[in-house]
Amino acid sequence: MMRVTTCKSAGAAIDYYVDGLTAGDGVLVDAAVKSSWLGKGAELLGLQGEVKRKDFESLVRNRHPGTGEQLTPRMRADRRVAFDVNFHPPKSVSILAEVVGDVSVSKAVEASSDFAMRAMERWVETRVRIGGQESDRKTGNLVWAKFVHTTSRPVDGVPDPHVHVHNVVMNVTYDPEEGRWKALQLGNVLKHARLFESMFLSDLARRVKALGYDVTSDGKYWEVAGVSPDIIWRYCRRAEQVNERAKRDGVEDAFERSGLGAKTRERKQPGQSQEWVREEWKR
């Protein structure tokens, strides 16, 4: 699955970075969240390796992380600061990665996320308003911060295994024709969101099969063969919470249902150790 959410506040984006992205939902106290800068735009800015807070803050405030200069020409109070493009694999993949402990499966999820994001990067555009023009121009470069999480929010104090990747795309792209940084135009990307979701899932299926697993499909979605529906459902307690809330509130629209996740979250509790959580999963 692929979800895209928009952040319209630098302060909210920084809070999200501190409390959610780098904290991994505050679940596993001894598990560092893996992060990295990616994208051709990141390379132009000299960003690489682990995502540091100072660089993240600079970009959501529309500042060059190296010089502190303003990046894009406009600084509207209601400007979009970033877009969180997150990818979620089938539940059986998370079970293999986290409960069984197959690290190669986790790496496959991350690689397929990178694959879909780089495909998306080729489609990105910026607006052209020079000389009376009213058009969009492809730029082919993005700046995004990648964060890899391994669990969902807890239910009754225990999280479900849930490998997923947050790609926080900054609202900047370099226009080589004008020689300057400008705001993103993501209409083309959002219009074809299902395409990028399919690219992620199909590439992940290919990688999982290359690791020696087989997959089964119902024509729309797939799971790893041999991981029974009963076992999958045992690790879908968050989905069950959302489904119960949707049924109670009469929500049938898929987009509205996805928004119920935030409304059904437990408050964050002091994190548990990886060993304790895995023992709970095995139990």
Side-chain angles (χ1 to χ4, degrees), residues 78-244:
D78 61 345
R79 70 180 288 269
R80 296 181 178 90
V81 301
F83 306 87
D84 183 4
V85 181
N86 47 86
F87 290 100
H88 306 255
K91 177 59 73 173
S92 54
V93 170
S94 290
I95 292 171
L96 286 177
E98 295 303 309
V99 182
V100 177
D102 191 336
V103 177
S104 62
V105 174
S106 298
K107 292 180 178 179
V109 174
E110 190 176 344
S112 293
S113 171
D114 293 348
F115 169 75
M117 287 298 298
R118 294 205 180 278
M120 186 183 300
E121 184 174 40
R122 295 196 292 268
W123 287 56
V124 297
E125 300 173 319
T126 191
R127 290 178 177 174
V128 180
R129 298 294 183 266
I130 293 178
Q133 295 186 66
E134 291 284 341
S135 61
D136 296 325
R137 174 189 295 140
K138 283 189 178 181
T139 60
N141 63 84
L142 285 175
V143 180
W144 78 86
K146 178 177 72 174
F147 301 87
V148 182
H149 288 180
T150 59
T151 62
S152 67
R153 284 294 185 103
V155 176
D156 297 330
V158 183
D160 287 329
H162 181 49
V163 179
H164 57 289
V165 184
H166 291 268
N167 300 285
V168 182
V169 179
M170 301 299 168
N171 189 15
V172 295
T173 186
Y174 187 74
D175 185 342
E177 291 198 28
E178 295 183 25
R180 59 175 179 162
W181 292 93
K182 298 166 61 178
L184 280 174
Q185 178 69 345
L186 279 186
N188 226 6
V189 168
L190 298 177
K191 180 180 177 181
H192 297 91
R194 290 295 178 89
L195 168 64
F196 298 114
E197 179 182 79
S198 296
M199 292 179 74
F200 166 73
L201 290 172
S202 61
D203 186 72
L204 180 57
R206 177 185 64 81
R207 293 178 188 275
V208 167
K209 287 190 283 188
L211 292 173
Y213 296 101
D214 198 3
V215 302
T216 59
S217 174
D218 61 5
K220 186 176 182 181
Y221 298 109
W222 60 267
E223 296 284 357
V224 178
V227 184
S228 72
D230 173 65
I231 289 178
I232 289 172
W233 192 244
R234 293 184 193 198
Y235 297 104
C236 288
R237 293 173 308 138
R238 278 288 292 136
E240 188 174 3
Q241 276 189 329
V242 173
N243 289 339
E244 288 178 356

